[in-house]
Amino acid sequence: LMGDPGGSDALVRLVQSLSSAVVYTESSNFETNRKLWDNYARDWSKDKDWVEKMVTNLPGERAENEANTNIIGDEWSDRSSLEQVIREYVVPFLTPVCPDPSTPSETPAPLCVGELGTGGGRVVSRVLPYLQGTHSTFHCFDISSEMLKRTKAHLSSLGYDDTNHHHHHQDESTHDPAHTPTPTEPTSHIRTTMEYSPLERRILPSDLANTFDFLYSFDVFPHLDLHTQHQYFREIYRCLKPGGHAFVSVATLTTQGGWARFEKQNKYTVGGFYFVSPDIIKILTSHAGLQIVRDSSTDDTNNLYYNRDYLF
């Protein structure tokens, strides 16, 4: 194609002027989150003013919440809300491996479980007791190397080392579906292998395709933009075994607490929430090859997460 040479020169000048404007691109959601959570982990202490302020804003008794703030993430919710979510959305996919009390000699099958965004280890430390006696494997993923250090330190303080952890005899109460065991509750002597993987990109290691029985990401997706969420949904599908399950929580506009928080937020930042809706999530998960089999379709004003987020 040929055109006016003068017009062509004008186009070149326009492209040159635009190129200077696009050199300084905005940091990716991934990189900004990494920097934020690295700094968060380095600076965190239960005695910090900003941590104490977050704790005072939690539902429930202030003294109880303060007493329960011991590791990173304890300031994000009251303990009862957290443990109800674990009990209802995580435990059902872990308990089938526990020995049947009627057949104590039966050897439970091992599971491969992973958490995207382990943070300070507050969830994984509550999940591990359910994997006792199974030779299972647990993968801790986080884009923040500082957060992974915190997770290792927390699990080490509970008697777990960097590559595996040891258990002792498990109390019968662990098998009660209405009971969430504390990280220090005794369990079996059989080891669960621990793997710690810092994520350098929005993908999981390539050799983990069709690996996991269960993957979950809790209190993480609210800080991810839509394209990053889409990428992780695709990765979850790729890495699940056929018939495997996943659990994710997102920030939504459709709940009472979600809308209230959205109105207080002037714009999206990684330190705030990226709000979506169940309809958007259903589109993303469907295109990723995933099917939602259960979700938090009704508000529960007694639980911080059910009142604010969309869980599925």
Side-chain angles (χ1 to χ4, degrees):
L1 296 173
M2 295 184 63
D4 177 18
S8 180
D9 289 342
L11 179 60
V12 170
R13 290 194 297 271
L14 175 61
V15 171
Q16 289 174 339
S17 67
L18 289 176
S19 65
S20 64
V22 299
V23 167
Y24 303 102
T25 58
E26 181 181 346
S27 296
S28 70
N29 181 257
F30 182 94
E31 289 299 330
T32 307
N33 264 295
R34 185 207 298 278
K35 292 175 183 177
L36 171 67
W37 299 115
D38 272 345
N39 289 333
Y40 195 104
R42 290 191 194 101
D43 196 45
W44 191 93
S45 168
K46 65 181 298 181
D47 299 322
K48 291 280 186 176
D49 290 343
W50 56 273
V51 175
E52 292 180 346
K53 183 177 180 181
M54 294 176 73
V55 173
T56 60
N57 291 329
L58 295 177
E61 296 294 329
R62 177 174 176 175
E64 181 180 354
N65 289 329
E66 289 176 345
N68 289 336
T69 304
N70 300 302
I71 62 170
I72 288 179
D74 285 339
E75 69 276 13
W76 298 335
S77 76
D78 59 290
R79 180 171 291 185
S80 61
S81 291
L82 170 67
E83 295 191 341
Q84 182 182 0
V85 171
I86 294 174
R87 196 164 58 240
E88 296 180 357
Y89 281 90
V90 177
V91 172
F93 301 103
L94 304 178
T95 48
V97 304
C98 295
D100 183 345
S102 64
T103 56
S105 62
E106 179 183 348
T107 302
L111 288 181
C112 186
V113 180
E115 179 177 9
L116 298 175
T118 54
R122 68 174 182 146
V123 179
V124 57
S125 59
R126 288 172 165 82
V127 169
L128 290 177
Y130 288 99
L131 301 179
Q132 62 85 25
T134 65
H135 292 292
S136 292
T137 302
F138 194 101
H139 290 254
C140 297
F141 299 105
D142 208 295
I143 67 173
S144 166
S145 59
E146 295 297 325
M147 283 292 191
L148 281 177
K149 290 178 184 177
R150 289 278 190 167
T151 299
K152 288 183 180 181
H154 178 50
L155 296 181
S156 178
S157 73
L158 300 176
Y160 309 148
D161 64 30
D162 284 358
T163 55
N164 55 62
H165 67 266
H166 304 268
H167 302 289
H168 305 287
H169 177 71
Q170 182 175 11
D171 187 87
E172 290 181 355
S173 61
T174 302
H175 299 296
D176 181 356
H179 172 74
T180 302
T182 62
T184 55
E185 284 186 357
T187 48
S188 154
H189 68 282
I190 298 179
R191 297 180 179 185
T192 295
T193 301
M194 299 297 299
E195 301 285 349
Y196 297 86
S197 302
L199 299 179
E200 300 299 329
R201 294 183 293 165
R202 298 183 303 179
I203 60 174
L204 301 180
S206 59
D207 61 348
L208 293 180
N210 302 317
T211 295
F212 291 92
D213 297 283
F214 185 57
L215 273 169
Y216 68 90
S217 187
F218 185 53
D219 252 5
V220 173
F221 274 56
H223 305 288
L224 309 181
D225 64 25
L226 209 57
H227 287 84
T228 303
Q229 292 185 35
H230 170 59
Q231 182 64 33
Y232 278 127
F233 283 133
R234 293 175 61 184
E235 285 299 289
I236 288 172
Y237 176 79
R238 182 180 68 84
C239 292
L240 284 177
K241 292 178 180 177
H245 292 83
F247 162 60
V248 178
S249 67
V250 298
T252 181
L253 295 169
T254 58
T255 57
Q256 177 181 328
W259 180 256
R261 177 154 183 162
F262 173 76
E263 283 195 308
K264 294 178 182 178
Q265 184 172 297
N266 293 324
K267 65 176 183 178
Y268 166 69
T269 64
V270 293
F273 281 1
Y274 192 100
F275 291 90
V276 294
S277 69
D279 286 342
I280 292 175
I281 291 301
K282 288 171 184 176
I283 293 172
L284 291 179
T285 53
S286 175
H287 281 282
L290 298 165
Q291 178 184 0
I292 295 177
V293 295
R294 179 188 177 185
D295 63 6
S296 55
S297 56
T298 59
D299 294 357
D300 178 355
T301 57
N302 295 318
N303 184 295
L304 182 151
Y305 290 108
Y306 296 162
N307 184 51
R308 187 192 69 194
D309 298 343
Y310 177 56
L311 294 79
F312 54 97

